[in-house]
Amino acid sequence: MASAVLSIATQCVSPNASSLSINETHKGKAKLGGSTLRFSKSSGRISMTVAVNVSRFEGIPMAPPDPILGVSEAFRADTNDVKLNLGVGAYRTEELQPYVLNVVKKAENLMLERGDNKEYLPIEGLAAFNKATAELLLGADNPAIKEQRVATVQGLSGTGSLRLGAALIERYFPGSKVLISAPTWGNHKNIFNDARVPWSEYRYYDPRTVGLDFEGMIEDIKAAPEGTFVLLHGCAHNPTGIDPTPEQWEKIADVIQQKNHIPFFDVAYQGFASGSLDEDAASVRLFVARGMEVLVAQSYSKNLGLYAERIGAMNVISSSSESATRVKSQLKRLARPMYSNPPVHGARIVANVVGTPVLFDEWKAEMEMMAGRIKNVRQKLYDSISSKDKSGKDWSFILKQIGMFSYTGLNKNQSDNMTNKWHVYMTKDGRISLAGLSLAKCEYLADAIIDSYHNVS
Ligand code: PLA
């Protein structure tokens, strides 16, 4: 609270100031509204100090809403029944309800039966989780694991793991730059900005073909100074839903290897793109098989539906077990002052699911089911749009994109129209999350997209 000192003549003090009293020490106090008035009397004058409610935080401006999570806030505030939340990438059932996987419930029951405690985890996280997550990523028989060249530290889901990787770059590769795809997941730039790691973009999306700008991507990676970190989406590129083909991945690896760059994979959708855990990790495994040193951030938000458990991992695959041990020690050193040690609940769920063969198989079936539902709405949305829109526009890009999202090509005004007129909540870059769409709502969404595309510039 800041104070302002006023000096006023006795007769100016309002006789209505309720609790005004001036004692023999010539000091007094009164409450007026939310402010406190202090009086002191000397030589016939009363001096009054007003403690005004001016915050020390006055200089802090209002932050804008988050471009992705802010969409959910706006959705919650809308009272119209037709509203549809296609903003955040969170899986919903056909009834548009959140879904807790059966294997997750079973893994949680196992924890109760075993009477697991709530002691602190080590800084690097749960050992059984770290083993399981590296094996899931690279394949259990990967030579890098056998040769103990993988430094794995449990992270606060994908975001926290990326942040840890960024902190490692900032501390041990000062001045190194990260190359990020244009466009990319909205939070990537924030993460590297906050870690004070400079970044620039490489071409990725070609609006003319609504596909990958492969030539541009290769040129930009080639042009970057040696030793640049190249951020790659392991599968199901967010927001475009466009992934390189296996042949293109080989060429990307060629250039990164020639230029001595360091690939940094963000794997937030393993199993969610194709429905197969192994297939979705093929890009990372290809780089590791070439003997390259690779950074990989993993997330279990989507593939196990553990959004709020914040479970993921930062992996550094190194060329020697000695350097992997050193890197791991530094990752722990970075984690300790940031959050001390990670939460145990999600780590146990993952460890139980992956470590119990029956649950592991059941998980794969549930993941296929989720990925399958998204593929079905993708098909239905395409069918609805292409039968309703008589303009001749080619909407087949919807079918070519993979993963949770469709990048519709709608601009900001058109996206605003989707929300303001149709109550369809989506990010302003034209991305819609098909994981939040039901078959029953496809026709409605098709009408909204066609209206916004043709009637709004
Ligand atoms: N990496 C990518 C490419 C992502 O899309 C997301 C999540 C993450 C990392 C981080 O997720 P996590 O921290 O929960 O593991 N992207 C979401 C949610 C699904 C978000 O923006 O936070 C999205 O709607 O884009």
Side-chain angles (χ1 to χ4, degrees):
M1 213 184 263
S3 298
V5 178
L6 304 177
S7 214
I8 52 171
T10 317
Q11 58 270 34
C12 292
V13 176
S14 161
N16 299 329
S18 54
S19 63
L20 173 59
S21 65
I22 302 216
N23 61 23
E24 61 283 2
T25 61
H26 300 263
K27 286 202 173 123
K29 199 157 91 165
K31 279 258 176 218
L32 267 183
S35 309
T36 304
L37 286 67
R38 289 179 193 282
F39 300 91
S40 57
K41 191 177 167 193
S42 69
S43 9
R45 287 182 72 83
I46 290 180
S47 126
M48 182 173 74
T49 310
V50 187
V52 203
N53 288 329
V54 177
S55 168
R56 301 280 177 87
F57 308 117
E58 208 59 24
I60 300 182
M62 192 65 192
D66 183 79
I68 298 176
L69 299 184
V71 174
S72 298
E73 286 170 35
F75 172 80
R76 279 192 285 272
D78 187 336
T79 52
N80 195 308
D81 285 343
V82 300
K83 69 179 180 175
L84 200 52
N85 187 4
L86 308 183
V88 68
Y91 182 81
R92 296 283 177 270
T93 62
E94 180 59 27
E95 291 71 42
L96 298 183
Q97 294 305 308
Y99 178 64
V100 180
L101 275 75
N102 289 322
V103 284
V104 167
K105 292 179 190 159
K106 289 181 183 173
E108 286 177 326
N109 279 336
L110 270 180
M111 282 154 63
L112 282 177
E113 281 165 19
R114 289 175 187 165
D116 286 336
N117 63 42
K118 303 288 184 193
E119 290 288 289
Y120 286 131
L121 284 181
I123 303 171
E124 72 262 38
L126 187 74
F129 166 79
N130 286 348
K131 180 176 184 300
T133 198
E135 291 182 357
L136 208 67
L137 178 68
L138 301 174
D141 54 358
N142 196 298
I145 294 181
K146 295 221 166 98
E147 293 155 15
Q148 299 183 315
R149 291 191 283 111
V150 187
T152 302
V153 168
Q154 185 185 328
L156 304 182
S157 210
T159 307
S161 305
L162 286 162
R163 184 65 178 77
L164 206 52
L168 186 79
I169 295 174
E170 192 271 338
R171 186 158 298 178
Y172 291 102
F173 299 85
S176 278
K177 205 166 70 170
V178 174
L179 265 191
I180 298 177
S181 68
T184 193
W185 173 48
N187 215 16
H188 277 149
K189 293 173 184 174
N190 298 336
I191 290 170
F192 290 105
N193 281 343
D194 278 9
R196 300 180 192 286
V197 175
W199 53 267
S200 61
E201 293 183 316
Y202 61 85
R203 279 168 282 173
Y204 192 83
Y205 173 72
D206 185 350
R208 284 166 307 154
T209 60
V210 199
L212 180 65
D213 180 358
F214 185 64
E215 304 304 318
M217 178 181 186
I218 293 292
E219 262 177 41
D220 291 345
I221 294 175
K222 251 189 203 159
E226 283 223 357
T228 295
F229 289 83
V230 184
L231 189 70
L232 300 159
H233 298 223
C235 65
H237 182 272
N238 178 5
T240 64
I242 301 158
D243 282 357
T245 62
E247 297 72 39
Q248 287 171 330
W249 273 121
E250 293 281 358
K251 294 204 173 105
I252 294 165
D254 286 344
V255 186
I256 289 181
Q257 215 163 7
Q258 281 157 19
K259 289 288 313 217
N260 240 338
H261 293 332
I262 305 164
F264 188 166
F265 277 95
D266 180 358
V267 177
Y269 299 94
Q270 191 181 352
F272 233 91
S274 67
S276 150
L277 285 163
D278 290 324
E279 220 173 287
D280 287 356
S283 55
V284 173
R285 292 180 189 178
L286 177 156
F287 280 65
V288 174
R290 287 178 173 223
M292 296 166 79
E293 302 194 292
V294 183
L295 275 66
V296 191
Q298 287 172 283
S299 164
Y300 289 91
S301 290
K302 272 68 75 172
N303 55 11
L304 256 176
L306 294 177
Y307 308 92
E309 296 297 354
R310 312 310 296 145
I311 178 66
M314 181 65 218
N315 304 270
V316 179
I317 296 107
S318 170
S319 57
S320 78
S321 66
E322 294 76 26
S323 65
T325 307
R326 280 183 273 111
V327 167
K328 184 164 176 169
S329 75
Q330 292 296 344
L331 287 171
K332 287 163 63 177
R333 190 181 182 194
L334 288 163
R336 171 67 168 146
M338 272 204 245
Y339 56 85
S340 190
N341 49 74
V344 73
H345 194 79
R348 282 211 184 105
I349 295 173
V350 176
N352 285 349
V353 169
V354 178
T356 316
V358 192
L359 293 188
F360 190 46
D361 288 342
E362 203 175 326
W363 177 34
K364 288 193 261 186
E366 280 192 282
M367 208 152 37
E368 271 172 44
M369 181 277 290
M370 291 191 288
R373 200 191 79 73
I374 297 173
K375 281 184 193 158
N376 289 345
V377 289
R378 192 182 278 289
Q379 183 67 50
K380 175 90 191 283
L381 177 65
Y382 168 75
D383 292 345
S384 304
I385 294 193
S386 43
S387 71
K388 280 168 182 277
D389 183 16
K390 308 293 179 211
S391 73
K393 175 178 164 60
D394 180 9
W395 293 97
S396 61
F397 65 84
I398 295 175
L399 292 180
K400 289 182 201 136
Q401 298 169 345
I402 60 160
M404 271 196 167
F405 300 109
S406 179
Y407 202 51
T408 60
L410 294 178
N411 63 29
K412 184 177 174 302
N413 283 345
Q414 293 163 337
S415 303
D416 281 341
N417 184 65
M418 295 283 286
T419 305
N420 299 339
K421 178 169 170 190
W422 294 87
H423 303 273
V424 174
Y425 288 79
M426 57 188 284
T427 53
K428 301 296 172 212
D429 58 359
R431 184 191 87 169
I432 53 175
S433 167
L434 298 179
L437 180 64
S438 61
L439 289 173
K441 295 272 191 177
C442 283
E443 298 270 331
Y444 179 80
L445 182 62
D447 288 334
I449 293 176
I450 292 167
D451 172 56
S452 305
Y453 181 77
H454 290 297
N455 301 328
V456 179
S457 57

